[in-house]
C-alpha cells in the first residue's frame, strides 16, 4: 500500500539554497495562530458541537472542489450529494484519488488525513472501507468534535458569512469560545432588485422597507446589528464591479418600481451599482471593511442547479473590469480615513493590470488573495509577484481560505505560509530583500497584515 | 563552423536535482509512438509517396512559422513563397538563422537537421549550399520518402484536416500503412452563410441543400462518411465561441434568405452560432469529438492574402470569451455520455480563467493544448499549470502538433515530452507528487490521454 | 544601523550554475554606455546645469512611483508635493523605507544612494537627517551637477519628450555635450479635438490651422523642425489604439466643427483615430519612429488632479486591444520600407496574444518594453519570454526607462541588463541557446537593438 506521508518541505522551492532560506522562514510561522477573515463555516455546527456524522459529510459533500472534479471525470453528482450513501460516496472518492494529482484538493487531503486522522496510506479502492471506519471512529471521540478541532487548529479568528436578516444568536452563543467567531454582512440578494423574488426578500430585512429611505435605514440598522455582534466586514459578490451612483430621486423611483415588480434589467443593474456606492458610504460611517468579488457566472449548469442547488461546482469565472467600474466609488471614498476596500478577483489578469495599480495609489484599496484560485500555487505566485512589485507587501490582504470545508482550514493556511516563505526566499536569494526583512515580512503577512486589513483587534 | 548538436538535456529544468528527475521521466517516453490527433499534413503526399522536391519545399515554403519570421525581419514573401527559386529560399533561411534564436523554429530545425539529415553545423550564409546539396541528396534516397519517414518517425496515428465534400479516397488508399491516417471533418466554410461564395459552396456538400432540413441531413451524411473512413473528430474554427441555438423556424428562415444572398451579418453570425449547437448535437449522435479553436483575425494583411493566399503567417489572435458563449451548448450537452468537447484557444488568459474551470466541472470538456503557442515553452508551462491545478491531469487534451511541416512532427512531440517531464519533475521536487505517480502520469500524457480524449482505439 | 549594500549578484537567477552564466553575460554589458530612447528628463535642467536644490526635489517630488506608494500607505500628497518642506518630505520617505520592499523603487534607491552618494546604511527615521545633509552637501559640489552626472552615468543618447510647439532651443544649446540629447515629438493634445481647450491649443502649433489642410501642413512642419533638431521618434498616448482613417472630406468636416467647439465625442474619437493613421503616413515620409502607448485611464482621482496636477500616480491601466485596432494602419503601412512602429502596453496580456504575433509578421512592428511595469522583474520576464518565443530577439524594442527621475536612469538600465542576462542564462542552461549566441545577444540587446529600432546613428 503506497504511503501517505506529506513531506516536511512540500511546496518549498527546489533549489537547495533557496529552499533552506524558505524552510527557515516557514518555521518562523508554521505554528502561529490562524486568522481567517472570510469563509463559509456554519456557525450552528460550531455552536451545537455535535459530532460530525461520517467522513463523507465531513470531507466530500460540503466541498465543491472535491465533487466538481469527480463530476468532471464522469461521476454523477447524484452519487455524491444529497441522500447518497456516505460510505459509497467515500468509496468513490478513494477510487478516484488519482484525479486529484497536482490539485490543491490532493494537498489538503494529504495534510488532513495524515495530521488530523493519523492515516498513513494513500486512499484507494482497496482501503476505502478501512479508512472510512478509522475516520468514523475518531469522529465519535470528543477529540474530533467541532469545538475541539477549532481549538486544536489554533484558529484565533474565524469569520462566517451571514444573511443580513440573521439574529446572530449562534455567534452570540459562541462568545465564550477562545476563538473569536465573527459574522460577515452579506447583503447581495437585497440589492438585486430585478430578481422575481426580491419584493418578498426585501421584507426579510425588517424595518420599513416600503420606501427607499426606509430601505437604506433598514440596511444601516442591520449593519449596526452585525457590528454589535463583532462583524468586521461586509462582503459583496455581484457580476460586475460597477459603482456609479444615482440621484436619490432616481434611486427612489427605481426602488418603488421594483416593489411592484415593474423594473427593467437595466434599472436593476443601475440600482445595484448605485448601492455599491452606498455600501461604501455606509462602510465609511460604520467601519465595516468592504470586500468585493465580482465576475462569476453563477450556476452555469441549470440541471445541476435544479437538482442539487447552488455552490455545487459550476460557478465559472468571466473577465472583469475594475479601473473604470470602481472610479466613482474611489473618487469619492478612496482616501476616506479608515475606509478599507479589499478587491478579490476570479480574473487573474486584473492583478497586475488594475488591482495592484489601484492599491498602489489609493490608501483604501487592498489587493485580496486570488479568489477561486486561492490554493493554486501558480496563481498565488502570480498574485504575490504582481501585487508586491507594484504596490508593495503592505497592500496585500493576507490569506483568505473562503472555505466550507472545516477540516481543510489548517492545510489551506499552511499552504499559504509555505508559498509566502517560498516567495520571500526567492527575493532573498536574488538579493532583493535582506534576510532580516524577510523574517519580519513573513510574520507580518501571516499575523499582523490580515488583522490590520480586516481591523481585527 | 559552429556546431549544431542538440543537447540531450535540452528544455529540461536547470536545477541539477530537478533535472535528474526530469531526465528519468523523459527517458520513459522519449521513444514511445506518436499520436497526432490534429494536424495539416496532406494525405495525398503520403499516398503518392513521391520524393520531396528540395529542402525549401520541404522545410520553408509550407511552414508559415518560418516564413513569417523572415518576413518580419524584412525578407519579402515573394522571395520565399510561390515560384521563388528553392536554392535561393534555402539560402535566405540559412543567412537568417540567427533570427530564430529563442523560438521553437530553432528547436525544430536543430532536431530535424541533426536527427533526420545528419547535419552537424549551424546553417549560415557560408554553408547554405553545402547543406542544400546534402539534404537534397538524401531526399532522393528511398529512406527519406514520405512513407519511409512516417514509419521512421514512429507515428501511430495521424489525423489530417479535410473538407466535408472530400471522398476521402486518399485515406482509403492509406489503410494498408502501419500508421493509421484518419481524416478530420472541418465544415467551417459551409457554416458561414454570410460569405458571398456560400450559395455555391454549399452545393459542394452534395445532397438536397435547397432546404434547411436537407442541409442538416447533408451534413449528417458527410459526417457518417467521415466516421466510416476513420475520422475521430470534427474541428471548428470561427471567430467567436458562440453556441446559442435558434428555433428551427428561424434557422430555416435565415437559411432560405442566405440561399438568395439576402442575409445580414447579424443573421449570419446567429446562424453560425446555432450551427455550433447543432454540431454538438450531431457529435452526441455520431461520436465525433468536437474541437473548437476560435479567436483569430484571419488574413490580417490584405496584400499578402491577395498575393500569397491564406495561412501565410498573418492570422493574429484576439481576446476570446468562453464562459458565456459556450453556456447554451454545455447546458444542453455538457453531461451527455461520451460527448467530448476540446477547447483550444489563442488567448492564453482563458486557460486559468475559463477553460480549466469549465473542464473542472463538465465531463465533456477537455482543455486543448495552447493553440498558436503550442511550441512556446512559456505558454506550455502556463497551460500545464493552469489546467492541472484547477482541473487535474485527466482533463488535458494531450499534445497537438497542428502542423503542415511534416518533418517537424517528431521534434514537436519531443519538445512536448520534455516539457511534460519538466513539469512533473518540478511537482516531484516540490513533494506535490510521488515519483511513482509522475512516472505513471507521463506515460499517460504521452500515450493514453490523447487516445482517450480523441477516442482512438 | 542595518547596512545598505547592493549585492553584486542582485536580480540574477538563484541556481548556482545559471547564475554563473548570467554573471558572465551581465559583466559583458555592465558598463556599456546607456541608450535612452524615451523618457521625461527636463532638457532645461540639463541646459541650465544649476545644482539640484535638495534630496527631496531630486528624488521624491518628481517621482510618482515613490509618492504614490507613500500615498497608498496613508501619507497625504500635500506632505510630499508642491511646497512641502524638503527635509520633512525626505524624512517621510526614510521613515517609510519598509514600504518599498519588493518594489523597483527600493532597487533604484539602493543603487542610487550607494553608488552615486556613497550611502552605506538603510534609510530610517533615525538617520533621515544625517542622510539629508550628506546628500545635500554632495549636491552642492560640481561632481553632482546635472551635466556632470549625465557624463558620469555614461549616457550616450537621451531622448526627452516635448510639445510640438517647442522651439527646441534647449536641445540646440545642448549640442556641445558628449551626450546626444534629442527631442521627441509628442502631439497628443493637438489631436484630441473634443477637449474644451482644443480650439485655443491648436493655435499654439503655428501655421494656418484654420483649415484641415493647414493643420496637417502645420503638423508636418513641426515634425520637420523636430527632425532638424535631432528627434528620432514621435510618441502617442491616447486611450485606445484605433487607427481607422476617414475620408479627407469627413476629416475636414469634423475639423471645422471642432474649431467652433461643435463636435460630438464620437466625432472626436473618430478624428483622433484617423490622425493616428495620418501620423503613420507622416512617419513613413519623414522617418520618425512611431511609438504607441494606449490604455491608461489618466488622472483617476479627481481631487488629486485638481490639487496636484497630472502625473501624480493615479494613471491606472485598462485592458487594450491591438489586433483589430491597428489593422487599418498596418494593412497600409506595415510593410513600408523603413517605417518603425513600437507598441507599448499597460496590459501585459497583450504581449503574447497580440503584440508578439504582430511583431512576428509585420516588418514595421517592434514589441516595446512593458510600459508601466518597466521595472517589475515579473512583467519584464513575461515580456521577454512572450516576445522572443513568438517573434525572436530581433523584434524587441530594447529597454526604455521612461523616467522623470534623472538619478534613477543608471539603476533602471542596470536592472534591465541583469534581467536580460538572467533570461539569456536560462536559455543557455536549458540548452536552447549556445553560449556564444547569448554573448552576442546581450550586447545586441543593450547597445545595437535600441539604436536600430530608434534609428539612432
Amino acid at each position: 500500500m503506497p504511503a501517505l506521508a506529506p513531506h516536511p518541505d512540500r511546496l518549498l522551492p527546489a533549489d537547495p539554497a533557496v529552499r533552506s532560506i524558505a524552510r527557515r522562514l516557514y518555521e518562523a510561522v508554521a505554528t502561529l495562530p490562524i486568522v481567517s477573515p472570510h469563509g463559509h463555516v456554519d456557525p450552528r455546527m460550531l455552536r451545537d458541537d455535535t459530532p460530525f456524522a461520517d467522513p463523507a459529510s465531513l470531507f466530500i459533500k460540503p466541498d465543491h472542489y472535491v465533487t466538481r472534479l469527480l463530476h468532471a471525470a464522469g461521476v454523477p453528482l447524484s452519487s455524491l450529494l444529497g441522500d447518497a450513501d456516505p460510505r459509497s460516496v467515500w468509496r468513490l472518492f478513494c477510487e478516484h484519488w488519482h484525479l486529484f494529482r497536482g490539485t490543491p484538493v490532493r494537498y489538503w487531503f494529504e495534510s488532513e488525513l495524515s495530521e488530523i486522522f493519523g492515516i498513513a496510506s494513500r486512499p484507494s479502492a482497496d482501503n476505502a472501507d478501512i479508512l472510512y471506519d478509522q475516520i468514523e471512529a475518531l469522529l465519535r471521540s470528543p477529540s474530533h468534535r467541532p469545538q475541539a478541532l477549532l481549538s486544536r487548529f489554533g484558529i484565533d479568528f474565524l469569520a462566517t458569512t451571514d444573511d443580513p436578516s440573521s439574529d446572530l444568536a449562534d455567534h452570540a452563543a459562541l462568545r465564550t469560545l477562545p476563538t473569536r467567531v465573527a459574522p460577515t454582512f452579506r447583503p447581495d440578494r437585497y440589492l438585486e432588485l430585478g430578481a422575481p423574488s426580491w419584493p418578498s426578500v426585501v421584507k426579510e430585512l425588517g424595518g420599513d422597507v416600503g420606501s427607499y429611505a426606509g430601505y437604506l435605514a433598514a440596511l444601516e440598522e442591520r449593519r449596526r446589528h452585525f457590528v454589535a455582534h463583532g462583524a468586521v466586514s461586509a462582503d459583496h459578490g455581484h457580476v460586475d464591479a460597477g459603482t456609479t451612483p444615482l440621484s436619490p430621486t432616481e434611486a427612489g423611483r427605481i426602488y418603488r418600481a421594483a416593489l411592484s415588480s415593474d423594473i427593467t434589467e437595466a434599472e436593476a443593474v443601475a440600482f445595484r451599482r448605485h448601492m455599491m456606492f452606498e455600501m461604501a458610504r455606509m462602510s465609511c460611517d460604520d467601519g465595516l471593511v468592504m470586500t468585493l468579488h465580482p465576475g462569476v457566472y453563477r450556476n452555469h449548469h441549470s440541471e445541476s442547479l435544479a437538482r442539487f442547488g447552488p455552490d455545487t461546482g459550476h460557478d465559472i469565472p468571466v473577465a472583469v473590469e475594475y479601473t473604470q467600474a470602481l472610479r466613482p466609488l474611489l473618487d469619492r471614498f478612496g482616501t476616506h480615513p479608515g475606509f478599507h476596500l479589499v478587491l478579490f478577483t476570479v480574473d487573474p489578469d486584473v492583478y497586475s493590470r488594475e488591482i495592484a495599480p489601484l492599491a498602489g495609489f489609493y490608501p483604501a484599496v487592498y489587493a485580496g488573495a486570488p479568489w477561486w484560485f486561492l490554493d493554486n500555487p501558480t496563481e498565488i505566485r502570480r498574485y504575490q509577484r504582481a501585487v508586491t512589485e507594484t504596490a508593495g507587501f503592505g497592500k496585500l490582504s493576507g490569506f483568505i481560505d473562503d472555505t466550507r470545508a472545516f477540516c481543510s482550514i489548517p492545510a489551506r493556511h499552511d499552504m499559504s505560509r509555505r508559498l509566502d516563505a517560498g516567495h520571500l526566499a526567492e527575493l532573498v536569494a536574488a538579493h532583493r530583500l535582506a534576510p532580516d526583512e524577510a523574517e519580519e515580512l513573513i510574520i507580518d503577512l501571516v499575523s499582523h497584515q490580515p488583522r490590520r486589513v480586516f481591523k481585527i483587534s
Side-chain angles (χ1 to χ4, degrees), chain A:
Chain A
M1 187 91 38
L4 185 85
H7 194 281
D9 284 341
R10 62 196 185 278
L11 280 180
L12 301 184
D15 179 272
V18 186
R19 178 169 286 183
S20 84
I21 303 171
R23 195 187 289 134
R24 215 163 41 242
L25 292 169
Y26 170 68
E27 278 161 9
V29 294
T31 60
L32 288 182
I34 288 172
V35 178
S36 174
H38 180 77
H40 296 272
V41 168
D42 182 358
R44 177 160 312 235
M45 176 269 279
L46 291 175
R47 177 185 183 169
D48 296 348
D49 198 34
T50 46
F52 293 105
D54 58 76
S57 314
L58 177 61
F59 286 131
I60 319 292
K61 293 186 175 190
D63 194 343
H64 58 72
Y65 284 78
V66 180
T67 55
R68 70 176 178 79
L69 284 173
L70 291 166
H71 180 256
V75 179
L77 288 182
S78 57
S79 324
L80 298 168
L81 299 177
D83 296 336
D85 169 57
R87 191 174 283 269
S88 314
V89 171
W90 178 257
R91 258 193 227 120
L92 281 167
F93 169 71
C94 293
E95 283 165 19
H96 290 86
W97 177 249
H98 63 279
L99 287 182
F100 303 104
R101 288 171 181 166
T103 73
V105 171
R106 149 72 175 261
Y107 182 88
W108 305 329
F109 271 93
E110 276 203 337
S111 301
E112 292 172 52
L113 294 176
S114 161
E115 291 166 9
I116 311 177
F117 295 93
I119 289 175
S121 54
R122 281 188 212 162
S124 70
D126 291 343
N127 67 6
D129 283 324
I130 300 168
L131 298 186
Y132 189 92
D133 295 337
Q134 200 171 332
I135 295 168
E136 201 179 34
L138 274 173
L139 291 180
R140 280 193 227 102
S141 94
S143 65
H144 284 68
R145 279 163 66 171
Q147 293 192 4
L149 289 176
L150 188 68
S151 158
R152 170 176 174 165
F153 293 167
I155 302 177
D156 251 24
F157 180 91
L158 180 74
T160 63
T161 296
D162 307 272
D163 193 276
S165 68
S166 167
D167 62 6
L168 305 177
D170 294 326
H171 294 83
L174 290 167
R175 279 205 190 138
T176 53
L177 288 186
T179 299
R180 177 172 161 201
V181 182
T184 299
F185 186 79
R186 175 77 181 265
D188 294 359
R189 64 194 195 110
Y190 299 98
L191 311 184
E192 297 277 11
L193 274 61
S197 59
W198 181 82
S200 63
V201 161
V202 72
K203 291 185 186 142
E204 297 175 35
L205 260 189
D208 171 21
V209 296
S211 74
Y212 171 60
Y215 166 76
L216 289 183
L219 284 165
E220 286 166 348
E221 162 54 25
R222 296 313 302 165
R223 292 174 66 109
R224 276 193 296 272
H225 182 71
F226 271 65
V227 171
H229 283 74
V232 298
S233 73
D235 182 45
H236 305 276
H238 301 281
V239 75
D240 66 53
T243 62
T244 305
L246 302 171
S247 71
T249 316
E250 177 64 359
R253 188 192 66 71
I254 295 177
Y255 187 84
R256 282 189 302 280
L259 285 176
S260 28
S261 296
D262 181 22
I263 183 176
T264 66
E265 199 183 310
E267 286 171 332
V269 167
F271 189 87
R272 187 248 300 154
R273 292 177 181 165
H274 164 73
M275 284 307 296
M276 283 300 100
F277 188 91
E278 287 295 302
M279 288 286 136
R281 176 186 63 73
M282 293 182 198
S283 273
C284 289
D285 290 346
D286 62 25
L288 287 179
V289 174
M290 184 176 193
T291 62
L292 281 193
H293 51 272
V296 282
Y297 191 116
R298 302 263 176 199
N299 305 309
H300 198 264
H301 191 232
S302 52
E303 189 193 329
S304 296
L305 173 67
R307 293 184 58 191
F308 308 105
D311 296 319
T312 44
H314 43 106
D315 289 353
I316 308 289
V318 293
V320 78
E321 198 282 332
Y322 286 89
T323 301
Q324 297 174 72
L326 291 174
R327 209 244 165 189
L329 187 157
L330 289 173
D331 201 43
R332 180 75 177 75
F333 305 114
T335 58
H336 186 94
F339 175 51
H340 289 193
L341 174 67
V342 184
L343 300 177
F344 296 99
T345 185
V346 286
D347 180 356
D349 299 334
V350 182
Y351 280 111
S352 56
R353 191 177 61 221
E354 304 176 34
I355 291 179
L358 289 167
F361 176 76
Y362 288 103
V365 176
Y366 293 88
W371 181 43
W372 227 103
F373 304 103
L374 282 167
D375 309 281
N376 289 15
T378 300
E379 296 300 340
I380 294 271
R381 285 297 172 92
R382 185 170 169 186
Y383 158 77
Q384 288 168 331
R385 290 170 178 154
V387 176
T388 58
E389 290 182 12
T390 292
F393 283 90
K395 303 309 291 271
L396 296 164
S397 72
F399 184 66
I400 302 293
D401 59 64
D402 194 27
T403 193
R404 291 180 160 69
F406 181 55
C407 282
S408 73
I409 292 177
R412 289 173 191 251
H413 285 262
D414 180 67
M415 185 169 205
S416 170
R417 291 168 188 194
R418 290 172 182 273
L419 292 169
D420 279 340
H423 180 220
L424 291 166
E426 285 173 3
L427 293 176
V428 171
H431 305 289
R432 293 171 63 189
L433 278 182
D436 67 303
E437 293 177 306
E439 276 159 46
E440 192 183 313
L441 278 168
I442 197 155
I443 291 170
D444 209 56
L445 287 171
V446 168
S447 285
H448 308 320
Q449 186 77 353
R451 285 191 170 85
R452 204 153 44 220
V453 174
F454 283 90
K455 303 180 179 174
I456 300 163
S457 50

